[in-house]
Amino acid sequence: MINISMLDGLMSVLLIFGLPARAIFRKRKTGISKTQAYQRSLATAAAIVCAFILLWSSQKRSLELLGLWPLRPVDFALIATSIAALILLFIIGRMTMGRQPAGGDPKPSSFPNGPEETRWFLIMASGLGVIWEILYRGYLQWSLGAVM
């Protein structure tokens, strides 16, 4: 049987209940730009993953327990496909930047406007994807599997 600590339990509760509740109930700050919002989201996720790394390494656990190592051939294919999709997204974003959709309607406010916002949006999207994959697919499945 795998031994999990109280900190593992607290981290699992944070991932299952805390982060979704924060996303649902938080108030949007009106005085910040989208670039600042992207940076804050990335910084929050980075702080959580740093806490996770400290917890994981303090227990002397391996990457195999997270399902991150060793990589299989299908993993390399998925990584290559993801990188290709990000490059394609970046190219399409650069080509359509500043254009208005048909009908002249402006872009919704959730889309990035300008090169600076687009750059931070792409950094945030790819960074959060990797971070959430490690936390939810790796750590949370491991900790729930240990409890079950």
Side-chain angles (χ1 to χ4, degrees):
M1 174 142 188
I2 298 173
N3 207 7
I4 66 169
S5 67
M6 187 186 319
L7 287 175
D8 288 317
L10 289 174
M11 187 74 157
S12 297
V13 168
L14 173 73
L15 291 174
I16 294 171
F17 299 110
L19 293 179
R22 180 182 180 270
I24 292 170
F25 297 114
R26 74 178 172 160
K27 301 270 191 235
R28 303 267 184 229
K29 295 185 179 175
T30 56
I32 65 170
S33 69
K34 280 190 262 182
T35 302
Q36 290 171 324
Y38 298 151
Q39 291 168 344
R40 286 184 181 183
S41 294
L42 194 57
T44 301
I48 293 168
V49 84
C50 285
F52 158 74
I53 289 170
L54 287 173
L55 172 63
W56 194 259
S57 62
S58 72
Q59 301 293 323
K60 296 182 178 35
R61 298 177 184 141
S62 71
L63 292 177
E64 290 176 357
L65 291 176
L66 286 176
L68 298 176
W69 194 261
L71 293 176
R72 301 164 302 183
V74 70
D75 295 330
F76 288 110
L78 291 172
I79 291 169
T81 304
S82 300
I83 291 171
L86 283 173
I87 291 170
L88 185 63
L89 178 65
F90 180 76
I91 291 170
I92 290 171
R94 298 287 289 192
M95 289 171 35
T96 61
M97 202 176 329
R99 292 187 192 168
Q100 287 190 352
D105 293 335
K107 289 193 274 186
S109 63
S110 61
F111 287 105
N113 296 315
E116 182 71 15
E117 282 184 15
T118 302
R119 182 177 23 248
W120 276 103
F121 176 78
L122 292 173
I123 291 169
M124 180 200 64
S126 57
L128 289 180
V130 170
I131 289 170
W132 295 144
E133 186 74 12
I134 291 169
L135 290 175
Y136 283 94
R137 184 176 162 261
Y139 178 74
L140 192 60
Q141 283 187 3
W142 172 84
S143 66
L144 292 177
V147 172
M148 302 289 179

